[in-house]
Amino acid sequence: MRLVSHHLCPYVQRAVIVLTEKNVPHERTYINLSEKPDWFLAASPLGRAPILQTNGSTLFESQVIIEYIDEIFPNTLHPSEPLERARHRSWIEFASSTLDAIGKFYNASDKDNFDRAMDNLRAKFESIDREIKGPLFAGDKFHIIDAAWAPVFRYFDVIERIYNFELFDGLENIIGWRKHLLARPSVKNGVPEGYEDRLKVFLMSRNSYVSGLLR
Ligand SMILES: N[C@@H](CCC(=O)N[C@@H](CS)C(=O)NCC(=O)O)C(=O)O
């Protein structure tokens, strides 16, 4: 199996975490998304990472990749009960919309847009906080939903070393969840060498309101 990856992509991290949790042997190829290689454009209909190449097929969209891996290897990381499984999938979608909100946060051009992005992000974190059972999303067992949210928090593990945006103040369930996620080897090693420095360079080069605060 080959996972075509990008160094900073949170959707790639999701797939890496699930592959690691399930002990699936695979190789990773990192590409530059601002200069997409022709072979990648030919293989990826949406031109987005990650893609998974396996048995002559190409899968795209991280959630599809993860669900496939979960299905073909033993010990599912989804709840067995259909309603609970569907509920997890709903909140995985919510993680994706939170990643979009993070993009708006770090790209906001001025204080007004930044304030709006902060309010939106905080509302999202308040919503997910109410759903967390602890210490992980649904108790002690690690699920795919934990892999989907870990990359959301990973941004802030780096950002908060430079500036505290106080986005998680009072959200005790998230605070506990983040601590448990980051202590997990699949999450800790779910990013490549040099991730933190690359992310800082990326954020500071946005020319945005947040870049200014991080400098
Ligand atoms: N819904 C997609 C999102 C993937 C995605 O947005 N990937 C970004 C990098 S994090 C990408 O490849 N962007 C390049 C582009 O859109 O041109 C998934 O879950 O796989």
Side-chain angles (χ1 to χ4, degrees), residues 56-211:
S57 291
T58 296
L59 301 180
F60 56 101
E61 286 296 309
S62 60
Q63 194 54 23
V64 173
I65 292 170
I66 287 167
E67 301 255 350
Y68 170 71
I69 293 162
D70 195 50
E71 267 178 34
I72 63 163
F73 293 99
N75 303 324
T76 179
L77 297 178
H78 257 326
S80 54
E81 201 274 311
L83 180 58
E84 186 58 3
R85 190 161 61 243
R87 195 177 77 82
H88 277 218
R89 289 187 174 123
S90 296
W91 288 101
I92 288 169
E93 270 304 305
F94 196 73
S96 302
S97 97
T98 305
L99 288 170
D100 287 347
I102 291 174
K104 293 200 173 76
F105 156 80
Y106 65 62
N107 283 320
S109 54
D110 54 34
K111 174 98 169 72
D112 280 355
N113 284 317
F114 167 79
D115 286 344
R116 249 193 307 278
M118 282 283 285
D119 289 349
N120 184 25
L121 252 187
R122 173 73 191 189
K124 286 190 184 301
F125 288 138
E126 285 173 2
S127 299
I128 188 73
D129 192 72
R130 290 190 285 271
E131 302 296 320
I132 301 161
K133 203 162 163 196
L136 295 168
F137 180 78
D140 288 324
K141 186 179 173 343
F142 188 93
H143 290 93
I144 289 173
I145 188 166
D146 294 293
W149 278 88
V152 169
F153 302 131
R154 190 89 199 208
Y155 279 100
F156 295 96
D157 296 332
V158 174
I159 289 173
E160 284 168 359
R161 276 196 211 122
I162 314 173
Y163 193 97
N164 187 1
F165 289 92
E166 298 174 2
L167 270 163
F168 302 103
D169 284 10
L171 302 181
E172 297 305 324
N173 294 332
I174 292 189
I175 291 169
W177 191 22
R178 283 182 69 183
K179 213 179 296 161
H180 276 78
L181 287 173
L182 199 61
R184 211 165 168 98
S186 63
V187 172
K188 213 178 345 182
N189 305 320
V191 295
E193 263 310 281
Y195 168 80
E196 180 161 346
D197 288 340
R198 269 178 206 270
L199 181 58
K200 280 187 207 154
V201 169
F202 171 79
L203 293 171
M204 288 178 189
S205 66
R206 304 315 290 164
N207 232 346
S208 65
Y209 189 79
V210 164
S211 317

Side-chain angles (χ1 to χ4, degrees), residues 6 9-11 14 33 36 40 46-50 61-63:
H6 174 262
C9 178
Y11 298 96
R14 291 180 176 187
L33 284 169
K36 296 174 187 169
F40 172 73
L46 295 172
R48 297 201 295 223
E61 286 296 309
S62 60
Q63 194 54 23

